[in-house]
Amino acid sequence: DNKQVTLWDVGGKEIYKNLWPHYFQNTDGKLIDGLIFVFDANNTEKIDLVKTELQSLLKNEKIANIPLLIYANKNVINIFNF
Protein backbone atom coordinates (compact mmCIF):
# COMPACT_ATOMS: atom_id res chain seq x y z
CA ASP A 1 0.00 0.00 0.00
CA ASN A 2 1.36 3.35 -1.04
CA LYS A 3 0.05 5.92 1.45
CA GLN A 4 0.59 9.66 1.38
CA VAL A 5 0.13 12.11 4.23
CA THR A 6 -0.06 15.84 3.67
CA LEU A 7 -0.27 18.13 6.68
CA TRP A 8 -1.05 21.83 6.63
CA ASP A 9 -0.57 24.22 9.54
CA VAL A 10 -2.94 26.97 8.47
CA GLY A 11 -2.73 28.99 11.68
CA GLY A 12 -5.41 30.50 13.83
CA LYS A 13 -4.74 34.19 13.31
CA GLU A 14 -7.72 36.17 12.06
CA ILE A 15 -6.14 36.85 8.66
CA TYR A 16 -5.83 33.10 7.99
CA LYS A 17 -9.29 31.95 9.09
CA ASN A 18 -10.94 32.92 5.81
CA LEU A 19 -8.46 30.61 4.05
CA TRP A 20 -9.35 27.50 6.07
CA PRO A 21 -12.04 26.24 3.61
CA HIS A 22 -9.48 26.25 0.79
CA TYR A 23 -7.63 23.46 2.60
CA PHE A 24 -10.68 21.17 2.76
CA GLN A 25 -9.81 19.80 -0.67
CA ASN A 26 -6.61 18.07 -1.71
CA THR A 27 -4.70 19.23 -4.75
CA ASP A 28 -6.46 16.53 -6.79
CA GLY A 29 -9.87 17.98 -5.89
CA LYS A 30 -10.88 15.26 -3.42
CA LEU A 31 -12.05 16.22 0.03
CA ILE A 32 -9.58 15.78 2.85
CA ASP A 33 -9.63 12.46 4.73
CA GLY A 34 -9.41 13.95 8.20
CA LEU A 35 -8.88 17.10 10.22
CA ILE A 36 -6.71 17.74 13.28
CA PHE A 37 -7.77 20.80 15.29
CA VAL A 38 -4.95 21.85 17.63
CA PHE A 39 -5.27 24.51 20.29
CA ASP A 40 -3.19 25.77 23.21
CA ALA A 41 -4.94 24.32 26.25
CA ASN A 42 -2.71 26.38 28.53
CA ASN A 43 -4.13 29.64 27.16
CA THR A 44 -7.33 29.79 29.20
CA GLU A 45 -8.03 33.36 28.04
CA LYS A 46 -8.77 32.06 24.53
CA ILE A 47 -10.77 28.94 25.38
CA ASP A 48 -14.08 30.64 24.53
CA LEU A 49 -12.65 31.77 21.18
CA VAL A 50 -11.41 28.23 20.48
CA LYS A 51 -14.87 26.86 21.26
CA THR A 52 -16.52 29.40 18.94
CA GLU A 53 -14.07 28.69 16.11
CA LEU A 54 -14.49 24.93 16.44
CA GLN A 55 -18.29 25.21 16.45
CA SER A 56 -18.11 27.40 13.34
CA LEU A 57 -15.78 24.94 11.64
CA LEU A 58 -18.11 22.03 12.39
CA LYS A 59 -20.97 23.81 10.62
CA ASN A 60 -19.12 23.58 7.30
CA GLU A 61 -20.92 20.99 5.18
CA LYS A 62 -17.78 20.07 3.22
CA ILE A 63 -16.23 18.49 6.28
CA ALA A 64 -19.36 17.30 8.07
CA ASN A 65 -18.53 13.60 7.68
CA ILE A 66 -14.77 13.45 7.97
CA PRO A 67 -12.88 12.22 11.06
CA LEU A 68 -11.87 14.97 13.47
CA LEU A 69 -9.15 14.88 16.14
CA ILE A 70 -9.21 17.69 18.70
CA TYR A 71 -5.76 18.02 20.22
CA ALA A 72 -5.31 20.07 23.40
CA ASN A 73 -1.64 21.04 23.07
CA LYS A 74 0.43 22.10 26.09
CA ASN A 75 -1.97 20.39 28.48
CA VAL A 76 0.21 19.96 31.54
CA ILE A 77 -0.48 17.00 33.79
CA ASN A 78 1.67 16.55 36.87
CA ILE A 79 1.84 12.77 37.22
CA PHE A 80 4.95 12.75 39.41
CA ASN A 81 3.68 15.09 42.16
CA PHE A 82 6.80 17.25 42.13
Side-chain angles (χ1 to χ4, degrees):
D1 290 327
N2 191 8
K3 302 291 181 190
Q4 178 182 351
V5 175
T6 303
L7 300 173
W8 296 96
D9 178 356
V10 294
K13 292 184 180 181
E14 198 63 39
I15 61 172
Y16 300 122
K17 290 178 188 174
N18 291 334
L19 299 175
W20 287 359
H22 297 284
Y23 292 92
F24 296 160
Q25 287 185 312
N26 293 321
T27 55
D28 60 4
K30 294 180 186 174
L31 285 178
I32 57 176
D33 296 316
L35 178 66
I36 302 172
F37 185 89
V38 181
F39 69 96
D40 182 350
N42 232 11
N43 189 344
T44 56
E45 294 175 7
K46 291 191 177 181
I47 290 296
D48 287 336
L49 176 61
V50 168
K51 179 181 174 182
T52 300
E53 293 298 336
L54 182 58
Q55 288 172 335
S56 175
L57 189 65
L58 294 174
K59 291 178 184 175
N60 189 305
E61 292 179 12
K62 280 188 175 181
I63 59 169
N65 295 312
I66 65 163
L68 169 66
L69 170 66
I70 301 172
Y71 184 79
N73 193 27
K74 300 179 188 173
N75 195 359
V76 179
I77 300 173
N78 188 351
I79 60 172
F80 298 109
N81 295 321
F82 289 125

